[in-house]
Coordinates of all heavy atoms in Angstrom, one line a residue:
Q201 N 122.7 198.6 146.7 CA 123.6 199.6 146.0 C 123.3 199.6 144.5 O 123.0 200.7 144.0 CB 125.1 199.2 146.2 CG 126.1 199.9 145.3 CD 126.5 201.2 146.0 OE1 126.3 201.5 147.1 NE2 127.2 202.0 145.1
W202 N 123.2 198.5 143.9 CA 123.0 198.4 142.5 C 121.6 199.0 142.2 O 121.4 199.7 141.2 CB 123.2 197.0 142.0 CG 123.0 196.9 140.5 CD1 123.8 197.2 139.5 CD2 121.7 196.5 139.8 NE1 123.3 196.9 138.3 CE2 122.0 196.5 138.4 CE3 120.4 196.1 140.2 CZ2 121.0 196.2 137.5 CZ3 119.5 195.7 139.3 CH2 119.8 195.8 137.9
D203 N 120.5 198.5 142.9 CA 119.2 199.0 142.7 C 119.1 200.5 142.9 O 118.4 201.1 142.0 CB 118.2 198.4 143.7 CG 117.9 196.9 143.2 OD1 118.1 196.5 142.1 OD2 117.4 196.2 144.0
V204 N 119.8 201.1 143.8 CA 119.7 202.5 144.0 C 120.2 203.2 142.8 O 119.6 204.1 142.3 CB 120.5 203.0 145.3 CG1 120.6 204.5 145.4 CG2 119.8 202.4 146.4
K205 N 121.4 202.8 142.3 CA 122.0 203.4 141.2 C 121.2 203.2 139.8 O 120.9 204.2 139.0 CB 123.4 202.9 140.8 CG 124.2 203.5 139.8 CD 124.6 204.9 140.3 CE 125.5 205.6 139.4 NZ 125.6 207.0 139.7
K206 N 120.5 202.1 139.7 CA 119.5 201.8 138.6 C 118.4 202.7 138.7 O 118.1 203.4 137.6 CB 119.1 200.3 138.7 CG 118.1 200.0 137.6 CD 117.8 198.5 137.6 CE 116.7 198.3 138.6 NZ 116.1 196.9 138.5
Y207 N 117.8 203.0 139.8 CA 116.7 203.8 139.9 C 117.1 205.4 139.8 O 116.3 206.1 139.3 CB 115.9 203.6 141.3 CG 115.3 202.3 141.1 CD1 115.6 201.2 142.0 CD2 114.3 202.0 140.2 CE1 115.0 200.0 142.0 CE2 113.6 200.8 140.1 CZ 113.9 199.8 141.0 OH 113.2 198.6 141.0
E208 N 118.3 205.6 140.3 CA 118.8 207.0 140.0 C 118.9 207.3 138.5 O 118.5 208.4 138.0 CB 120.2 207.2 140.7 CG 120.0 207.4 142.2 CD 121.5 207.5 142.7 OE1 122.5 207.5 142.0 OE2 121.5 207.6 144.1
N209 N 119.5 206.3 137.7 CA 119.7 206.6 136.3 C 118.3 206.6 135.7 O 118.1 207.4 134.7 CB 120.5 205.4 135.7 CG 121.9 205.5 136.1 OD1 122.5 206.5 136.5 ND2 122.6 204.4 136.1
L210 N 117.4 205.7 136.0 CA 116.0 205.8 135.5 C 115.4 207.1 135.8 O 114.7 207.6 134.9 CB 115.2 204.7 136.1 CG 113.7 204.4 135.6 CD1 113.7 204.3 134.1 CD2 113.1 203.4 136.4
A211 N 115.4 207.6 136.9 CA 114.9 208.9 137.3 C 115.5 210.0 136.4 O 114.7 210.9 135.9 CB 115.0 209.2 138.8
T212 N 116.8 210.0 136.3 CA 117.4 211.0 135.5 C 117.0 210.9 134.0 O 116.7 212.0 133.4 CB 118.9 210.8 135.5 OG1 119.4 210.9 136.9 CG2 119.7 211.8 134.7
M213 N 116.9 209.7 133.5 CA 116.5 209.6 132.1 C 115.0 210.1 131.9 O 114.7 210.8 131.0 CB 116.5 208.1 131.7 CG 116.1 207.8 130.2 SD 115.7 206.2 129.8 CE 114.2 206.0 130.7
L214 N 114.2 209.7 132.8 CA 112.8 210.2 132.7 C 112.7 211.8 132.8 O 111.9 212.4 132.1 CB 111.8 209.6 133.8 CG 111.6 208.1 133.7 CD1 110.9 207.6 134.9 CD2 110.8 207.8 132.4
Y215 N 113.4 212.3 133.8 CA 113.5 213.8 133.9 C 114.0 214.4 132.6 O 113.4 215.4 132.1 CB 114.3 214.2 135.1 CG 114.5 215.7 135.1 CD1 113.5 216.5 135.6 CD2 115.7 216.3 134.8 CE1 113.6 217.8 135.7 CE2 115.9 217.6 134.8 CZ 114.9 218.4 135.1 OH 115.0 219.8 135.3
N216 N 115.0 213.9 132.1 CA 115.6 214.4 130.9 C 114.5 214.4 129.7 O 114.4 215.3 128.8 CB 117.0 213.8 130.5 CG 118.0 214.2 131.4 OD1 118.0 215.2 131.9 ND2 119.1 213.3 131.5
N217 N 113.9 213.3 129.5 CA 112.9 213.0 128.5 C 111.7 214.1 128.7 O 111.2 214.6 127.8 CB 112.3 211.6 128.5 CG 113.3 210.6 127.9 OD1 114.4 211.0 127.4 ND2 113.0 209.4 128.1
Y218 N 111.4 214.3 129.9 CA 110.3 215.3 130.2 C 110.7 216.7 129.8 O 110.0 217.3 129.2 CB 110.0 215.2 131.8 CG 108.9 216.3 132.2 CD1 107.7 216.2 131.9 CD2 109.3 217.3 133.0 CE1 106.7 217.1 132.2 CE2 108.4 218.3 133.4 CZ 107.1 218.1 133.0 OH 106.2 219.1 133.4
V219 N 112.0 217.0 130.1 CA 112.5 218.4 129.8 C 112.5 218.5 128.2 O 112.1 219.5 127.7 CB 113.9 218.6 130.4 CG1 114.5 219.9 129.9 CG2 113.8 218.7 131.9
Q220 N 112.9 217.5 127.6 CA 113.0 217.5 126.1 C 111.5 217.6 125.6 O 111.3 218.3 124.5 CB 113.7 216.2 125.6 CG 113.9 216.2 124.1 CD 114.5 215.0 123.6 OE1 114.4 213.9 124.3 NE2 115.0 214.9 122.4
A221 N 110.7 216.9 126.1 CA 109.3 217.0 125.6 C 108.7 218.4 125.8 O 108.0 218.9 124.9 CB 108.3 216.0 126.3
L222 N 109.0 218.9 126.9 CA 108.5 220.4 127.2 C 109.1 221.3 126.1 O 108.4 222.2 125.6 CB 108.9 220.8 128.5 CG 108.1 220.3 129.7 CD1 108.6 220.8 131.1 CD2 106.6 220.7 129.6
Y223 N 110.4 221.1 125.9 CA 111.0 222.0 124.9 C 110.4 221.9 123.6 O 110.1 222.9 122.8 CB 112.5 221.6 124.8 CG 113.3 222.6 123.8 CD1 113.8 223.8 124.1 CD2 113.3 222.1 122.5 CE1 114.3 224.6 123.1 CE2 114.0 222.9 121.5 CZ 114.5 224.1 121.9 OH 115.0 224.9 120.9
I224 N 110.1 220.6 123.1 CA 109.5 220.3 121.8 C 108.1 221.0 121.7 O 107.8 221.7 120.8 CB 109.4 218.9 121.5 CG1 110.9 218.3 121.3 CG2 108.6 218.6 120.4 CD1 111.0 216.8 121.3
V225 N 107.3 220.8 122.8 CA 106.0 221.4 122.8 C 106.0 223.0 122.7 O 105.3 223.6 122.0 CB 105.2 221.0 124.0 CG1 103.9 221.7 124.2 CG2 104.9 219.5 123.9
Q226 N 106.9 223.6 123.5 CA 107.0 225.0 123.6 C 107.7 225.6 122.4 O 107.2 226.7 122.0 CB 107.8 225.4 124.8 CG 107.0 225.1 126.1 CD 107.9 225.3 127.3 OE1 109.1 225.7 127.2 NE2 107.3 225.3 128.5
H227 N 108.6 225.0 121.7 CA 109.5 225.7 120.7 C 109.1 225.1 119.3 O 109.2 225.8 118.3 CB 110.9 225.6 121.0 CG 111.4 226.4 122.2 ND1 111.4 225.8 123.4 CD2 111.6 227.7 122.5 CE1 111.7 226.7 124.4 NE2 111.8 227.9 123.8
E228 N 109.1 223.8 119.2 CA 109.0 223.2 117.9 C 107.5 223.0 117.3 O 107.2 223.0 116.2 CB 109.8 221.9 117.9 CG 111.2 222.1 118.1 CD 112.0 220.8 118.1 OE1 111.5 219.8 117.7 OE2 113.2 220.8 118.5
A229 N 106.6 222.9 118.3 CA 105.2 222.7 117.9 C 104.7 224.0 117.1 O 104.0 223.9 116.1 CB 104.3 222.5 119.2
P230 N 105.0 225.2 117.5 CA 104.7 226.4 116.7 C 105.2 226.4 115.3 O 104.6 226.8 114.4 CB 105.1 227.6 117.6 CG 105.1 227.1 119.1 CD 105.5 225.6 118.8
E231 N 106.5 226.0 115.2 CA 107.1 226.0 113.9 C 106.5 224.9 113.1 O 106.3 225.1 111.8 CB 108.7 225.6 114.1 CG 109.4 226.7 114.7 CD 109.3 228.0 113.8 OE1 109.4 228.0 112.6 OE2 109.2 229.1 114.4
L232 N 106.0 223.8 113.7 CA 105.4 222.7 112.9 C 104.0 223.3 112.4 O 103.7 223.0 111.1 CB 105.1 221.5 113.7 CG 104.3 220.4 113.1 CD1 105.1 219.8 111.9 CD2 104.1 219.3 114.1
K233 N 103.4 224.0 113.2 CA 102.0 224.6 112.8 C 102.3 225.6 111.6 O 101.5 225.5 110.6 CB 101.5 225.4 114.0 CG 100.0 225.8 113.7 CD 99.4 226.3 115.0 CE 98.0 226.8 114.7 NZ 97.4 227.4 115.9
K234 N 103.3 226.3 111.6 CA 103.6 227.3 110.6 C 104.0 226.6 109.3 O 103.4 226.8 108.2 CB 104.8 228.3 110.9 CG 104.5 229.2 112.0 CD 105.7 230.1 112.3 CE 105.6 230.9 113.5 NZ 106.9 231.6 113.9
S235 N 104.8 225.5 109.4 CA 105.1 224.7 108.2 C 103.9 223.9 107.6 O 103.8 223.9 106.4 CB 106.2 223.7 108.6 OG 107.4 224.4 109.0
K236 N 103.1 223.4 108.5 CA 101.9 222.8 107.9 C 101.0 223.7 107.2 O 100.5 223.4 106.1 CB 101.1 222.1 109.1 CG 101.8 220.9 109.6 CD 101.1 220.3 110.9 CE 99.6 220.3 110.8 NZ 98.9 219.8 112.1
A237 N 100.9 225.0 107.7 CA 100.1 226.0 106.9 C 100.8 226.4 105.7 O 100.1 226.5 104.6 CB 99.8 227.2 107.9
Y238 N 102.1 226.6 105.7 CA 102.8 227.0 104.5 C 102.7 226.0 103.4 O 102.5 226.3 102.2 CB 104.3 227.3 104.9 CG 105.0 227.8 103.7 CD1 105.1 229.1 103.2 CD2 105.9 226.9 103.0 CE1 105.8 229.6 102.2 CE2 106.7 227.3 101.9 CZ 106.6 228.7 101.5 OH 107.3 229.0 100.4
F239 N 102.8 224.7 103.7 CA 102.9 223.6 102.7 C 101.5 223.1 102.6 O 101.3 222.0 101.9 CB 103.9 222.6 103.1 CG 105.3 223.0 103.1 CD1 106.0 223.2 104.2 CD2 105.9 223.2 101.8 CE1 107.4 223.6 104.1 CE2 107.2 223.6 101.7 CZ 107.9 223.9 102.8
N240 N 100.5 223.6 103.2 CA 99.0 223.2 103.0 C 99.0 221.7 103.5 O 98.4 220.9 102.7 CB 98.5 223.4 101.7 CG 97.1 223.2 101.7 OD1 96.4 223.4 102.7 ND2 96.5 222.9 100.5
I241 N 99.6 221.3 104.5 CA 99.6 219.9 105.0 C 98.4 219.7 105.9 O 98.2 220.5 106.9 CB 100.9 219.5 105.8 CG1 102.0 219.6 104.8 CG2 100.8 218.1 106.3 CD1 103.4 219.5 105.5
Q242 N 97.5 218.6 105.6 CA 96.3 218.4 106.4 C 96.5 217.3 107.3 O 97.5 216.5 107.1 CB 95.2 218.1 105.4 CG 94.9 219.1 104.4 CD 94.5 220.4 105.0 OE1 93.7 220.5 105.9 NE2 95.1 221.5 104.5
P243 N 95.8 217.2 108.4 CA 95.9 216.0 109.3 C 95.8 214.6 108.5 O 96.5 213.7 109.0 CB 94.8 216.2 110.2 CG 94.4 217.7 110.3 CD 94.7 218.1 108.9
S244 N 95.1 214.6 107.6 CA 94.9 213.4 106.7 C 96.2 213.0 106.1 O 96.7 211.8 105.9 CB 93.8 213.4 105.8 OG 94.0 214.4 104.9
D245 N 97.0 214.0 105.6 CA 98.3 213.8 105.0 C 99.2 213.1 106.1 O 100.0 212.2 105.7 CB 99.0 215.1 104.5 CG 98.2 215.7 103.5 OD1 97.6 215.0 102.7 OD2 98.0 217.0 103.4
L246 N 99.2 213.7 107.3 CA 100.1 213.2 108.4 C 99.7 211.7 108.7 O 100.6 210.9 108.9 CB 100.0 214.0 109.7 CG 100.5 215.5 109.6 CD1 100.2 216.2 110.8 CD2 101.9 215.5 109.1
E247 N 98.5 211.4 108.7 CA 98.1 210.1 109.0 C 98.4 209.1 107.8 O 98.9 208.0 108.1 CB 96.5 210.0 109.2 CG 96.0 210.6 110.3 CD 94.4 210.9 110.3 OE1 93.7 210.3 109.4 OE2 93.8 211.5 111.2
K248 N 98.4 209.5 106.6 CA 98.8 208.7 105.5 C 100.4 208.5 105.6 O 100.8 207.4 105.4 CB 98.5 209.4 104.1 CG 97.1 209.2 103.7 CD 96.9 209.8 102.2 CE 96.4 211.2 102.3 NZ 96.1 211.8 101.1
W249 N 101.2 209.5 105.8 CA 102.6 209.4 106.0 C 102.9 208.5 107.1 O 103.8 207.6 107.0 CB 103.2 210.7 106.2 CG 103.1 211.7 105.1 CD1 102.9 211.4 103.7 CD2 103.2 213.1 105.2 NE1 102.7 212.5 103.0 CE2 103.0 213.6 103.7 CE3 103.5 214.1 106.1 CZ2 103.1 214.9 103.5 CZ3 103.6 215.3 105.8 CH2 103.4 215.8 104.4
Q250 N 102.3 208.5 108.2 CA 102.4 207.6 109.4 C 102.2 206.2 108.9 O 103.0 205.3 109.3 CB 101.7 208.0 110.6 CG 102.0 207.2 111.8 CD 101.1 207.6 113.0 OE1 100.0 208.2 112.8 NE2 101.5 207.2 114.1
S251 N 101.2 205.9 108.2 CA 100.8 204.7 107.7 C 101.8 204.0 106.9 O 102.2 202.9 106.9 CB 99.4 204.6 107.1 OG 99.1 203.4 106.6
K252 N 102.3 204.8 105.9 CA 103.3 204.4 104.9 C 104.6 204.2 105.6 O 105.3 203.2 105.3 CB 103.6 205.5 103.9 CG 102.5 205.6 102.9 CD 102.8 206.6 101.8 CE 101.7 206.7 100.7 NZ 102.1 207.8 99.7
E253 N 105.0 205.0 106.7 CA 106.2 204.7 107.4 C 106.1 203.4 108.2 O 107.1 202.7 108.3 CB 106.5 205.9 108.4 CG 107.8 205.9 109.0 CD 108.0 207.0 110.0 OE1 107.1 207.4 110.7 OE2 109.2 207.5 109.9
L254 N 105.0 203.2 108.8 CA 104.7 202.0 109.6 C 104.9 200.8 108.6 O 105.6 199.8 109.0 CB 103.4 202.0 110.3 CG 103.0 200.7 110.9 CD1 104.0 200.3 112.1 CD2 101.5 200.7 111.5
Q255 N 104.3 200.8 107.4 CA 104.4 199.7 106.5 C 105.8 199.5 106.1 O 106.2 198.4 105.9 CB 103.5 200.0 105.2 CG 103.3 198.9 104.3 CD 102.7 197.7 105.0 OE1 101.8 197.8 105.9 NE2 103.2 196.4 104.6
H256 N 106.5 200.6 105.9 CA 107.9 200.5 105.5 C 108.7 199.7 106.6 O 109.5 198.8 106.3 CB 108.5 201.9 105.2 CG 110.0 201.9 105.2 ND1 110.7 201.5 104.0 CD2 111.0 202.3 106.0 CE1 112.0 201.6 104.2 NE2 112.2 202.1 105.4
F257 N 108.5 200.1 107.8 CA 109.3 199.5 108.9 C 108.8 198.1 109.1 O 109.7 197.2 109.5 CB 109.2 200.3 110.2 CG 110.0 201.6 110.2 CD1 109.5 202.8 110.2 CD2 111.5 201.4 110.0 CE1 110.3 203.9 110.3 CE2 112.3 202.5 110.1 CZ 111.7 203.8 110.2
L258 N 107.6 197.7 108.9 CA 107.1 196.3 109.1 C 107.8 195.4 108.0 O 107.9 194.2 108.3 CB 105.6 196.3 109.0 CG 104.9 196.9 110.1 CD1 103.4 196.9 110.0 CD2 105.2 196.1 111.5
T259 N 108.0 195.9 106.8 CA 108.5 195.2 105.7 C 110.1 195.3 105.6 O 110.6 194.6 104.6 CB 107.8 195.4 104.4 OG1 108.0 196.9 104.0 CG2 106.4 195.2 104.4
L260 N 110.7 196.2 106.3 CA 112.1 196.4 106.3 C 112.9 195.1 106.4 O 112.6 194.3 107.4 CB 112.5 197.4 107.3 CG 113.9 198.0 107.1 CD1 113.9 198.8 105.8 CD2 114.2 199.0 108.3
G261 N 113.9 194.8 105.5 CA 114.6 193.5 105.6 C 113.9 192.4 105.0 O 114.5 191.3 104.8
Q262 N 112.7 192.5 104.5 CA 112.0 191.3 103.8 C 112.2 191.6 102.3 O 112.0 192.7 101.7 CB 110.6 191.3 104.2 CG 110.2 191.1 105.6 CD 108.8 191.1 105.9 OE1 108.0 191.3 105.0 NE2 108.4 191.0 107.2
E263 N 112.5 190.6 101.6 CA 112.6 190.6 100.2 C 111.3 190.5 99.5 O 110.4 189.7 100.0 CB 113.5 189.4 99.6 CG 114.9 189.5 100.1 CD 115.8 188.4 99.5 OE1 115.6 188.1 98.3 OE2 116.6 187.8 100.2
P264 N 111.0 191.4 98.5 CA 109.6 191.3 97.9 C 109.5 189.8 97.3 O 110.4 189.2 96.8 CB 109.8 192.2 96.7 CG 110.9 193.2 97.1 CD 111.8 192.3 98.0
K265 N 108.3 189.3 97.4 CA 108.0 188.0 97.0 C 108.3 187.7 95.4 O 108.8 186.7 95.1 CB 106.5 187.7 97.2 CG 106.1 186.2 96.9 CD 104.6 185.9 97.3 CE 104.3 184.5 97.0 NZ 102.9 184.1 97.3
E266 N 108.1 188.8 94.7 CA 108.4 188.7 93.2 C 109.9 188.5 93.0 O 110.3 187.6 92.2 CB 107.9 189.9 92.5 CG 108.1 189.9 91.0 CD 107.7 191.2 90.4 OE1 106.8 192.0 90.9 OE2 108.2 191.5 89.2
D267 N 110.7 189.1 93.8 CA 112.1 188.9 93.7 C 112.5 187.5 94.1 O 113.4 187.0 93.4 CB 112.9 190.0 94.5 CG 112.8 191.4 93.9 OD1 112.3 191.6 92.8 OD2 113.3 192.4 94.6
V268 N 112.0 186.9 95.1 CA 112.3 185.7 95.6 C 111.9 184.7 94.5 O 112.7 183.7 94.2 CB 111.6 185.4 97.0 CG1 111.7 183.9 97.3 CG2 112.1 186.3 98.0
L269 N 110.7 184.8 93.9 CA 110.3 183.9 92.9 C 111.2 184.0 91.6 O 111.6 183.0 91.1 CB 108.9 184.1 92.4 CG 107.8 184.0 93.6 CD1 106.4 184.4 93.1 CD2 107.7 182.4 93.9
K270 N 111.7 185.1 91.3 CA 112.6 185.3 90.1 C 113.9 184.6 90.4 O 114.5 183.9 89.5 CB 112.9 186.8 89.9 CG 111.7 187.5 89.2 CD 111.9 188.9 89.0 CE 110.8 189.7 88.4 NZ 111.0 191.1 88.2
I271 N 114.5 184.8 91.6 CA 115.7 184.2 91.9 C 115.5 182.6 92.0 O 116.4 181.8 91.5 CB 116.2 184.6 93.3 CG1 116.6 186.1 93.2 CG2 117.3 183.9 93.9 CD1 116.9 186.8 94.4
T272 N 114.5 182.2 92.5 CA 114.2 180.7 92.5 C 114.1 180.1 91.2 O 114.7 179.0 90.8 CB 112.9 180.4 93.4 OG1 113.1 181.0 94.7 CG2 112.7 178.9 93.5
Y273 N 113.5 180.9 90.3 CA 113.4 180.4 88.8 C 114.7 180.3 88.2 O 115.0 179.3 87.6 CB 112.5 181.4 88.1 CG 112.3 181.1 86.7 CD1 111.5 180.0 86.2 CD2 113.0 181.9 85.7 CE1 111.3 179.8 84.9 CE2 112.7 181.6 84.4 CZ 112.0 180.5 84.0 OH 111.8 180.2 82.7
V274 N 115.6 181.3 88.4 CA 116.8 181.2 87.8 C 117.7 180.2 88.4 O 118.4 179.4 87.7 CB 117.6 182.6 88.0 CG1 119.1 182.5 87.6 CG2 116.9 183.7 87.2
E275 N 117.6 179.9 89.7 CA 118.4 178.9 90.4 C 117.9 177.5 89.8 O 118.8 176.6 89.5 CB 118.1 178.9 91.9 CG 118.9 180.0 92.6 CD 118.5 180.2 94.0 OE1 117.5 179.6 94.5 OE2 119.3 180.9 94.7
L276 N 116.6 177.3 89.6 CA 116.1 176.1 89.0 C 116.6 175.9 87.6 O 116.8 174.8 87.1 CB 114.6 176.1 89.2 CG 114.0 175.9 90.5 CD1 112.5 176.0 90.6 CD2 114.4 174.5 91.1
L277 N 116.6 177.0 86.8 CA 117.1 176.9 85.4 C 118.6 176.5 85.4 O 119.0 175.6 84.6 CB 117.0 178.2 84.7 CG 115.6 178.6 84.3 CD1 115.6 180.1 83.7 CD2 114.9 177.7 83.2
I278 N 119.4 177.0 86.3 CA 120.8 176.7 86.4 C 121.0 175.2 86.8 O 121.7 174.4 86.1 CB 121.5 177.5 87.4 CG1 121.7 179.0 86.9 CG2 123.0 177.0 87.7 CD1 122.1 180.0 87.9
E279 N 120.1 174.8 87.7 CA 120.2 173.3 88.2 C 119.7 172.4 87.0 O 120.4 171.4 86.8 CB 119.2 173.2 89.3 CG 119.2 171.9 90.1 CD 118.4 171.8 91.3 OE1 118.3 172.8 92.0 OE2 117.7 170.7 91.4
L280 N 118.7 172.8 86.3 CA 118.3 172.1 85.1 C 119.4 172.0 84.0 O 119.6 170.9 83.4 CB 117.0 172.6 84.5 CG 116.4 171.9 83.3 CD1 116.0 170.5 83.7 CD2 115.2 172.8 82.7
Q281 N 120.1 173.0 83.8 CA 121.2 173.1 82.9 C 122.3 172.2 83.2 O 122.9 171.5 82.4 CB 121.6 174.5 82.6 CG 122.7 174.7 81.6 CD 123.2 176.1 81.4 OE1 123.1 176.9 82.4 NE2 123.6 176.5 80.3
E282 N 122.6 172.1 84.6 CA 123.6 171.2 85.0 C 123.3 169.7 84.9 O 124.1 168.9 84.7 CB 123.9 171.6 86.5 CG 124.6 173.0 86.6 CD 124.7 173.3 88.0 OE1 124.3 172.6 89.0 OE2 125.4 174.4 88.4
I283 N 121.9 169.4 85.0 CA 121.5 168.1 84.9 C 121.6 167.5 83.5 O 122.0 166.4 83.2 CB 120.1 168.0 85.5 CG1 120.1 168.2 86.9 CG2 119.6 166.5 85.1 CD1 118.7 168.2 87.6
T284 N 121.2 168.4 82.5 CA 121.2 167.9 81.1 C 122.5 168.2 80.4 O 123.4 168.7 80.8 CB 120.0 168.7 80.4 OG1 120.3 170.2 80.5 CG2 118.7 168.4 80.9

């Protein structure tokens, strides 16, 4: 029973994703092409944007090393002040 329902849900999800992909290809791809031409966007621009976006997501949630070092420095200064 459980497996049947699981596979029914999976099939429905895959079908819905397929329908959505068809819609995007048929309706939104031509608009993207027009926008790329209007704004003079080249394939290399899209590759650069994708690379920057990937880098952003890979470093999301990580503090920049420079900030960590600054905070550590201030913490050590406070510790030194408390000792003396």
Side-chain angles (χ1 to χ4, degrees):
Q201 168 90 14
W202 182 81
D203 283 343
V204 171
K205 190 67 176 167
K206 179 175 79 169
Y207 290 116
E208 285 176 3
N209 289 337
L210 180 59
T212 301
M213 182 197 72
L214 289 173
Y215 173 77
N216 289 336
N217 287 353
Y218 176 72
V219 170
Q220 183 182 22
L222 284 178
Y223 178 86
I224 290 169
V225 168
Q226 291 172 352
H227 295 95
E228 296 180 14
E231 289 301 316
L232 176 62
K233 188 175 182 178
K234 289 179 194 174
S235 296
K236 284 172 49 182
Y238 180 79
F239 291 108
N240 194 28
I241 297 171
Q242 303 301 316
S244 61
D245 296 325
L246 297 175
E247 291 169 9
K248 281 188 268 184
W249 295 340
Q250 183 181 21
S251 175
K252 285 182 180 181
E253 184 177 46
L254 175 62
Q255 190 60 36
H256 169 74
F257 283 118
L258 290 175
T259 59
L260 197 61
Q262 298 176 3
E263 296 181 42
K265 187 175 181 179
E266 183 179 337
D267 290 351
V268 173
L269 292 174
K270 287 178 182 178
I271 292 170
T272 303
Y273 177 73
V274 171
E275 288 173 343
L276 289 172
L277 284 177
I278 292 171
E279 192 176 315
L280 179 64
Q281 185 180 24
E282 290 173 352
I283 292 173
T284 57

